[in-house]
Amino acid sequence: MGALAAVAVVLVALVLPGGASAQLQKIKITIPAAAVTFASLYHAKTAGYFADEGLDVEIITVAGGGSLQALIARDAQFTVAPATYMIEAHQKGQKMLNTMSLLARNAINVVMHKDVAREKGITEKTPLADKIKALKGLKLSGVAVGSFSYEMLTYYLLKAGLDPKKDVELIGIGAGPPMVLALEQRKVDAFATGSPIPEAAVIRGFGTMIVDNSAGEDPDFSEFMMLAVTVHPEWARQNPETVRKVVKALLRANAWIIDNTAEAAVPSMKPFLGRLDDKILIAGLSKVRLGVPRDGRITERAVTLTQEFLKKIGQLKAPIPYAEIVTNEYFPK
């Protein structure tokens, strides 16, 4: 009877929700920073879309390009990050594949301390070109040296005719709260990162938005490989059905983010961005959701514009064909 009872317990564990979760396939997805730009990924996790596909997904934040390096090292099965990291790695012989898009336009914003903006004579309504020129002589920060936000600052400095090595002090101080605190305490004059961190500085009263890409301010970035779902090609060949399941869950999440309000998405953000006020999350989500592609496809124009960006900052020597870095094989038939 004791043996039968033990078997019964095992059977119950397998059929009840708690037991079923133990049978899910474990998947690790790395991201370069915690931000509402990852709204679709966060929602797919909290709403149970991955679990519906038989997956137990762990989302791990690894700053900047380290998120891709974890994929290359096979410490993770997927990364969701700006495809700039992947393209730079590709030209060095580390070839990865982008399977879909979670965000199809640039969402890296630049915020300046309001006192600095006042001294420079600029406001949020000042023409973009003038706001970029006002960065001269300032101490600026991206998330980390070599990160996408760091590269964005480099791009804008070059676009304004400034020398990133001589005309500014450009550093990396980490993502999220450290950036906001550094700006508030005037340890930096401006920083660049994804929503809603720049919005937090504005809402708290000490920041002035200089570049609001989340709202589509810069037409150069209206279409971009902002967040691509990247996988190692060999792992994808060995696990095609798993890749399809991840893509299916994220497509479902993309559609939900598009079809629902920013306010409705806040609960899905809380497990990952709980330190931020709802007002800040809503401010970021209301803009970011406008760049989420319903079909999840990465267009050839997005690939071209992303590579042109890298070429302008000196990080790409020659264009890479679309088919070498993007696959549509894993979308639902």
Side-chain angles (χ1 to χ4, degrees), residues 92-113:
K92 296 176 183 178
Q94 298 172 319
K95 298 183 178 181
M96 301 288 119
L97 274 178
N98 297 306
T99 60
M100 68 171 291
S101 171
L102 295 192
L103 196 57
R105 75 179 185 195
N106 196 313
I108 297 295
N109 298 337
V110 183
V111 64
M112 181 184 290
H113 195 283

Side-chain angles (χ1 to χ4, degrees), residues 269-291:
M269 306 300 110
K270 283 296 187 181
F272 308 95
L273 302 167
R275 295 176 63 182
L276 296 175
D277 296 339
D278 288 6
K279 185 177 180 180
I280 294 171
L281 293 175
I282 291 168
L285 284 164
S286 63
K287 294 182 290 185
V288 165
R289 60 190 294 276
L290 302 178

Side-chain angles (χ1 to χ4, degrees), residues 122-140:
I122 60 173
T123 69
E124 293 182 357
K125 296 182 180 180
T126 299
L128 180 60
D130 294 333
K131 289 189 290 186
I132 296 171
K133 290 177 183 178
L135 295 173
K136 185 176 181 178
L138 302 183
K139 188 173 184 178
L140 313 175

